[in-house]
Amino acid sequence: MASLSFQQTCISLPNGAQGVLAQAPHLTRAHVSIAIAAGYLDEPRTLPGLAHLLEHVLTTAPLEAFSNISLLTWFSQHQGSLNAHTDDYVTDVHFSIPAETLEAAALTVASQLARPAFSPSVICAEVAAIDAEWQARQHSSAMQRLSAIATLSDSQHIGADCRHGNAQTLGSDTALLLDALTAFHRDHYHDGRVSIAIISPWATETMTRLVKRMATLFSPPTPSAPSLAITSRWSRLPHAKIARTGNAIELLWPLPSAVARHQLTALGDTADRLNQGFLVEQLPGSITDYRATLAPSGTTDAFSLTLSGTATQEQVKALAAALSERLAALLGTIPNDHNNRWQPPADTVQLAPAWFAHARHQALARRFTAQPSEHQPDASPFAANNARWLLDNASPSPSPPAFDRQPAAYPAVQHWCGLYGVNDDFAALVTTAWAACFVPEAIIVSSPLTAQRLALQAIVFKQENSPHGSWVITVGSQANHAMVALLEDAVLAVSKAQQGLQAQQLIQRLTPLPATPAVWVSHSTGAAAVCHALANLASHVAIRAEQPSANLSTSTAIMRTLSLPGTPSQRLLLALAEQHHSGAFFQQARYDHHLGYVAAVRSGDGAPCSLGYVVQTSNVGEISKDAGSAGGKPLEEKRIAEKLQSITDALWKTSDSVLQAQPPTLTPPETPLAALVLQWQSLLTGTNQPLHRLGQQRIDSQALTNLLTQINTLGHWQTHWLDSAGHYEVNR
């Protein structure tokens, strides 16, 4: 499968703003990032979380032209999506929008970022939202990693404190926060710190004109504005320990405070080459996977190598020294050419996240290059004794409980062979080979470093796990052979609690998956061997199931779902309802009724098809102690479930006229791998065609009326509960 590559144009405007543009004629949506070279390491020492709060306020405060509409609501109304991220040195607001709406969307976002109106009520609401986010994430591995990074920082540096923010760090003095937000925005959100990145089907000249218009909305820096220079945060400590992250080791090589742009490009190329398998022979057998990253989130002034597996502290010390030498040698072989093409990683499924990560790197580059050239040494960051590392200080996690290795009767395997129309999405797939395998109610655990070893053979490997099963896909000229070898070396593990927020875990349950193993191959040659290998692996029966923890729940997710049989019209209807309901549901669940930090609408396509409305709230158990319980459920959870029902019922009562006026936007896949994954998921969920290939037909008035009637006749409503202890329930 040929790698995607896009012509890239970088521009520097007279006012100091920068832009990076890529034309992709096959896209129907544009992906845009407006990044500001300011993050939580730029905020006042006394207000941890201020930069994060500003990001929240910018996306939820009313727009200047629409007194009751925020950016999030505006994008929901225009069939787009918007999100934002605050990192240590960069904050970005990024969005995807139909290409025909790009100009209006880009100018709307730029105007809000350049000239926001700060409302005390919005500030109070967002402090509460950040606190709820902190409550929901405080025990996650990502938050614990941020805390561990702080222990690696010089004690005098602002980075020696975890800066996510919560109600305690931000306080309740709204006037103080208003003044602090105003000052932080004035000092940092000016044209000298703005980087705009656009990938779209538009011509480069047209995108350039749009970037210039966006940049003129930002004010110039004030005479007292802080400099862009980075102050090194790293102390002399060689390592820190981090609890409950699983079997993981993260090696970090701090970057100099000033790095030339060609050096950053070379470091990025080094990470790409490592991820294509260039380290597999240098790692001990206890390492099962690795990922190299330039400027990872939370440590964007470092090069990271995350290793899955186990090693003692002494082993890590020796490994860090050996890898430093290896990486320095590899970096020296990277040509210092200024490539004018952007090439996303080979395993990219969704183009937008890869583009937004690229945009953050471009914004970060201006901070590293802020120093004059004489302060930008060409010395390698991989010098001896420069590495730091994070170790898991918890007891080694037991391996996932395995399935019985005694063979049972081979199970029947569903089998599909052929293109199934993916060539309509990308003609190049006609000459590509692939193999995909699914096992229900289990996780496929492949042999160590499988992805990297396959990459050395020019084969792309992708895996996805869910509570309902696990699938793997190989793409390349020897895909069937590679899949057989993978399955013969793999074992099955009992499904365990998924990582991430409880709400995300509930959403995974929306998509139906088969109860039997399944195979899809592009070519019949070797297909029988793939089916046999999968049947052999799937014949290993479970000896025990993992039981949920009895720990006290600290957060609970509640989701109300609507299921329909899954005819093409019903699938289109639920996809349209997801687009239409998202903004209104977010507003009502999160702000009008304060149901929790997470508030989202998601659809699960297939037969049946589903629509889920999910919220997540913290400390339900504590809230409910004095409230008693009803029907086995705390009253607070009952109240949230009843409120969900009232909100969703109201949304559907007002859907008729709005859905008629707003035909669904069916976005085709943007990468060949995405086309394969969408078709594979379609086969697994009981349909032959992915949603985007059903056509752009409009649902006429009578058909829509009939469909809406089916909501009450054929529709099946359920309520789902999942708490952080792993307890799951579902009922009508």
Side-chain angles (χ1 to χ4, degrees), residues 147-219:
S147 296
I149 294 297
T151 69
L152 289 174
S153 302
D154 188 291
S155 59
Q156 302 303 311
H157 192 274
I158 193 173
D161 179 25
C162 186
R163 312 288 297 183
H164 178 280
N166 53 54
Q168 184 176 356
T169 66
L170 292 168
S172 57
D173 189 336
T174 305
L176 172 66
L177 288 176
L178 177 58
D179 290 343
L181 287 171
T182 302
F184 189 82
H185 182 274
R186 179 193 64 234
D187 289 342
H188 297 90
Y189 279 62
H190 56 73
D191 51 20
R193 288 177 176 256
V194 174
S195 298
I196 300 170
I198 303 176
I199 185 168
S200 80
W202 285 19
T204 300
E205 295 78 10
T206 308
M207 287 190 284
T208 300
R209 289 194 294 269
L210 177 59
V211 167
K212 291 178 178 178
R213 290 181 62 191
M214 296 166 67
T216 59
L217 296 173
F218 290 87
S219 302

Side-chain angles (χ1 to χ4, degrees), residues 322-398:
L323 289 177
S324 294
E325 183 177 348
R326 170 69 175 169
L327 293 178
L330 179 60
L331 180 62
T333 67
I334 301 291
N336 283 333
D337 58 351
H338 298 278
N339 198 333
N340 61 352
R341 300 194 70 83
W342 175 64
Q343 185 171 312
D347 61 352
T348 297
V349 176
Q350 301 296 332
L351 199 59
W355 179 251
F356 298 148
H358 177 61
R360 282 192 287 274
H361 281 179
Q362 298 300 307
L364 185 65
R366 72 184 310 166
R367 301 207 65 162
F368 281 117
T369 58
Q371 297 281 9
S373 57
E374 61 266 22
H375 296 292
Q376 296 177 1
D378 286 334
S380 168
F382 305 117
N385 301 319
N386 192 37
R388 275 73 165 168
W389 58 86
L390 302 176
L391 292 174
D392 185 352
N393 70 354
S395 300
S397 299

Side-chain angles (χ1 to χ4, degrees), residues 436-454:
C437 292
F438 168 79
V439 175
E441 306 299 334
I443 297 173
I444 300 172
V445 181
S446 55
S447 60
L449 304 175
T450 290
Q452 293 83 3
R453 295 184 190 279
L454 289 176

Side-chain angles (χ1 to χ4, degrees), residues 515-686:
T516 58
V519 168
W520 175 39
V521 293
S522 56
H523 297 83
S524 58
T525 303
V530 175
C531 291
H532 183 271
L534 179 63
N536 182 40
L537 179 65
S539 67
H540 304 151
V541 295
I543 56 175
R544 69 182 179 90
E546 190 170 80
Q547 297 298 319
S549 167
N551 294 336
L552 178 67
S553 172
T554 58
S555 62
T556 298
I558 303 175
M559 179 172 68
R560 189 171 192 234
T561 60
L562 166 65
S563 297
L564 288 168
T567 66
S569 294
Q570 291 168 350
R571 295 166 63 197
L572 287 171
L573 175 68
L574 293 193
L576 177 54
E578 178 186 1
Q579 293 177 6
H580 169 57
H581 289 174
S582 290
F585 180 78
F586 182 90
Q587 175 66 39
Q588 292 183 48
R590 183 162 168 181
Y591 294 110
D592 296 350
H593 301 290
H594 307 288
L595 297 188
Y597 161 62
V598 178
V601 184
R602 295 290 185 270
S603 60
D605 190 44
C609 53
S610 298
L611 194 64
Y613 306 79
V614 64
V615 297
Q616 181 172 329
T617 185
S618 299
N619 299 319
V620 167
E622 295 181 12
I623 294 172
S624 306
K625 284 178 181 177
D626 298 328
S629 62
K633 278 288 176 192
L635 289 179
E636 182 65 14
E637 290 190 20
K638 290 285 188 181
R639 182 190 69 82
I640 294 173
E642 291 169 357
K643 185 57 66 177
L644 272 180
Q645 180 174 343
S646 67
I647 293 173
T648 53
D649 287 347
L651 287 173
W652 278 102
K653 286 179 181 177
T654 60
S655 290
D656 196 330
S657 61
V658 179
L659 294 180
Q660 285 183 359
Q662 191 177 12
T665 300
L666 303 177
T667 304
E670 297 179 342
T671 68
L673 187 55
L676 294 178
V677 169
L678 287 173
Q679 179 60 52
W680 174 226
Q681 291 173 331
S682 181
L683 293 172
L684 289 177
T685 57

Side-chain angles (χ1 to χ4, degrees), residues 79-103:
Q79 301 185 12
S81 60
L82 176 138
N83 210 333
H85 178 71
T86 302
D87 216 320
D88 42 7
Y89 287 111
V90 173
T91 299
D92 67 294
V93 176
H94 48 266
F95 59 89
S96 299
I97 196 76
E100 60 270 19
T101 318
L102 170 57
E103 181 176 5

